[in-house]
Amino acid sequence: MRWSRAEFRVAMVVLISLLLIAVAEGKISSKSNNKNKNKNAYATMMYMGTPRDYEFYVATRVMMRSLDKLNVQADLVVIASIDVPLRWVHSMEVEDGLKVVRVENIHNPYMSSNDHDRFKLTMNKLYAWNLVEYERVIMLDADNLFLQNTDELFQCGSFCAAFINPCIFHTGLFVLQPSAKVFKDMIHQLEIERPNEDKADQGFIGGYFSNLLDMPMFYPPLNESKLDGHFRLPLGYQMDASYYYLKLRWNVPCGPNSVITFPGAVWMKPWYWWSWPVLPLGFSWHEQRRKTLGYAAEMPIVILEVLVYLGVIAITRLARPNFSKLRYCRFDSKSVIIHNTSLKFLAMVSIIAAYVVPFFVIPNTIHPVIGWSLYLLGSFSLCSIAINAFLLPALAVLTPCLGTFGVLLVMAVPWYKDGVVRAFAVFAYAFCASPILLVSFCKVMATLQVSLEREAFLPSRLSDSPPPSGFNKLY
């Protein structure tokens, strides 16, 4: 039987299509197998209910992407509460390649409804013990900055953590062996309200493994075998950022300098643009974000703010002649004092607002260089309103803006000997700048007073009724 040319072409198309489908199925199966082939996992948690949910979402993605860049041989898992937005879950799964495990929130019995919401759901961290499909899990907080691969930690025992405090280990990073039995017992201990010093995961886990301080130090076995029991981790796996700020360099001789952690004030976490150069390590975190996640999410807002600020500068400059005319209105003698006091108050409020408002409208997680540049531009543009509306000296009004730029330069100098010298340099700058700031304030008030006195004189001359049209003809 001979095939026609048309039939042969159809047969070839069908054959090629079947081959492509088979190859695609093979790839999908391979990806599925690769996704679950790892016996260990890096895990972190995410929950909702605080004013900083988005910031921690960004921090989680940056940390996990940085681990992927380090080619860790483990799954990357996010333990997310069921109220985490689905669009965030989709981004983490599809764009970042993370495995998201949805869980119900674990009630924290130690906290009342009046307590701070920052720690109400931190007990979700206990779900790490329920990841029983893995042999070892490294549980992480989102404020960790990884400097190098730490896969050797998977050789540690059933529980391992570092003591950044002499007597209390830190739960920002710890190694555990998942166990449904341990997880069930921990939930039971929560229900009976086992004593907890800080009402959060730190105190609960610290009390549950209260003998860790007496355990031996962990050193990775050369044969890559996994240890049993509890171990203390070298400090290099949880380097407190405060150590760096004293010497402006790492000086942790015990163990590898692998992971930096940022405990302390939540508003000074490294992902906030204002944390640098107040805390120099914030720039390192942002460099890691620039190389992994990027800033595409914040850039539209940044561009819009720049356009608005440039528009304000242009409009206030063009409208300067009309601003002063609005202030020339006639008052009787009883209202002059109230009028002058109100104008002084309004002028000072507008100047203060020019330095406060831009700070709160900048995206919190933008790069520090962009954030501070946008702040200075916003302050300059809003100050131009006060300068042109009240006819104030530009240099005096802009002195705080120039002073802010100067202190940023002082703090950002990279060649300080140590943190103490850096602190003295900042204090010396503030001491020298304070008289200039005071003189500028006095200059603004004096100029405003002169302007008000001139205003009180001019309206009486400008508003006098002109003489009758026939007045000159009579004389």
Side-chain angles (χ1 to χ4, degrees):
M1 178 179 178
R2 297 184 62 183
W3 287 6
S4 66
R5 182 173 298 180
E7 290 174 338
F8 180 76
R9 289 178 178 176
V10 171
M12 291 301 296
V13 170
V14 172
L15 180 60
I16 293 173
S17 299
L18 292 174
L19 289 174
L20 291 175
I21 292 173
V23 171
E25 289 180 349
K27 288 184 177 179
I28 292 173
S29 177
S30 176
K31 287 183 178 180
S32 177
N33 291 335
N34 288 339
K35 184 176 181 180
N36 298 316
K37 72 176 182 179
N38 294 305
K39 298 180 179 180
N40 305 307
Y42 288 88
T44 188
M45 66 174 177
M46 182 183 299
Y47 55 85
M48 307 298 290
T50 74
R52 298 164 297 278
D53 291 337
Y54 177 77
E55 287 89 333
F56 278 92
Y57 161 68
V58 172
T60 297
R61 296 186 67 187
V62 171
M63 181 180 67
M64 289 304 198
R65 285 198 178 199
S66 67
L67 284 170
D68 187 56
K69 288 282 187 180
L70 292 173
N71 297 317
V72 296
Q73 299 301 308
D75 285 350
L76 303 178
V77 180
V78 177
I79 303 171
S81 59
I82 58 174
D83 51 356
V84 171
L86 290 178
R87 66 181 186 278
W88 290 7
V89 174
H90 181 268
S91 296
M92 291 187 290
E93 288 181 335
V94 177
E95 299 176 18
D96 303 335
L98 308 181
K99 179 180 178 181
V100 180
V101 179
R102 307 297 296 276
V103 297
E104 294 280 353
N105 290 321
I106 296 179
H107 172 65
N108 187 342
Y110 305 102
M111 303 192 73
S112 65
S113 58
N114 298 325
D115 287 327
H116 199 285
D117 57 6
R118 178 184 173 191
F119 301 111
K120 283 185 178 180
L121 298 177
T122 56
M123 293 302 177
N124 286 3
K125 188 176 290 187
L126 302 184
Y127 276 115
W129 274 270
N130 205 36
L131 299 175
V132 292
E133 64 268 33
Y134 299 107
E135 294 181 2
R136 294 288 190 276
V137 172
I138 299 176
M139 189 64 193
L140 306 167
D141 283 347
D143 57 356
N144 282 310
L145 179 65
F146 279 79
L147 305 181
Q148 60 187 18
N149 189 308
T150 57
D151 282 354
E152 68 274 9
L153 288 176
F154 292 120
Q155 298 176 247
C156 201
S158 57
F159 185 81
C160 311
F163 284 80
I164 64 175
N165 178 296
C167 301
I168 303 173
F169 63 82
H170 190 233
T171 57
L173 181 151
F174 58 87
V175 185
L176 63 105
Q177 182 177 2
S179 168
K181 180 179 178 181
V182 174
F183 175 70
K184 184 178 180 180
D185 183 61
M186 285 182 162
I187 298 300
H188 173 69
Q189 296 296 327
L190 276 180
E191 292 173 348
I192 64 176
E193 297 189 22
R194 178 193 183 102
N196 186 346
E197 294 183 0
D198 65 0
K199 301 182 179 181
D201 63 286
Q202 176 78 53
F204 179 82
I205 298 175
Y208 196 89
F209 298 99
S210 58
N211 64 339
L212 190 66
L213 187 61
D214 300 324
M215 297 296 105
M217 186 69 70
F218 164 72
Y219 297 101
L222 297 180
N223 61 1
E224 299 185 359
S225 62
K226 293 188 176 182
L227 302 175
D228 294 322
H230 298 173
F231 292 87
R232 290 179 290 120
L233 294 180
L235 193 60
Y237 290 109
Q238 274 287 266
M239 297 182 291
D240 190 335
S242 59
Y243 294 144
Y244 176 86
Y245 299 135
L246 181 62
K247 296 290 186 180
L248 294 183
R249 60 185 175 85
W250 289 117
N251 188 26
V252 182
C254 49
N257 296 337
S258 300
V259 188
I260 305 169
T261 187
F262 296 85
V266 68
W267 287 110
M268 293 306 292
K269 295 296 184 181
W271 46 81
Y272 292 115
W273 62 266
W274 58 80
S275 69
W276 178 88
V278 180
L279 303 178
L281 284 177
F283 197 84
S284 300
W285 187 93
H286 278 278
E287 280 300 290
Q288 197 168 86
R289 177 181 178 177
R290 184 183 63 82
K291 296 176 182 178
T292 54
L293 187 62
Y295 295 89
E298 291 90 350
M299 289 311 297
I301 300 177
V302 171
I303 294 173
L304 178 61
E305 289 188 24
V306 170
L307 294 177
V308 169
Y309 290 145
L310 293 178
V312 168
I313 294 172
I315 291 172
T316 53
R317 183 60 183 172
L318 294 174
R320 179 183 174 92
N322 297 322
F323 272 133
S324 58
K325 293 180 181 179
L326 297 176
R327 296 167 53 222
Y328 289 110
C329 48
R330 187 167 185 171
F331 295 92
D332 54 39
S333 58
K334 295 181 180 180
S335 303
V336 170
I337 297 177
I338 298 177
H339 171 249
N340 291 353
T341 303
S342 299
L343 277 180
K344 288 181 180 180
F345 177 78
L346 184 60
M348 295 310 301
V349 167
S350 64
I351 294 174
I352 294 173
Y355 289 102
V356 173
V357 171
F359 184 88
F360 289 99
V361 298
I362 298 172
N364 290 341
T365 55
I366 197 65
H367 194 281
V369 174
I370 299 176
W372 282 111
S373 300
L374 192 58
Y375 172 77
L376 294 175
L377 175 62
S379 297
F380 177 81
S381 67
L382 297 183
C383 281
S384 67
I385 298 176
I387 292 170
N388 291 284
F390 298 96
L391 303 180
L392 299 176
L395 184 60
V397 175
L398 294 174
T399 295
C401 189
L402 298 175
T404 301
F405 180 73
V407 75
L408 291 176
L409 293 180
V410 171
M411 288 191 289
V413 170
W415 51 79
Y416 287 117
K417 179 181 177 181
D418 53 48
V420 176
V421 175
R422 181 175 183 266
F424 275 120
V426 174
F427 287 137
Y429 176 87
F431 180 80
C432 295
S434 296
I436 301 175
L437 187 63
L438 179 61
V439 170
S440 299
F441 174 78
C442 295
K443 178 67 174 178
V444 169
M445 297 302 295
T447 303
L448 191 58
Q449 181 64 34
V450 171
S451 177
L452 291 174
E453 292 175 355
R454 185 185 300 114
E455 178 183 328
F457 173 78
L458 289 177
S460 62
R461 297 293 182 267
L462 296 174
S463 60
D464 283 344
S465 300
S469 57
F471 182 81
N472 290 333
K473 296 181 180 179
L474 296 176
Y475 292 93

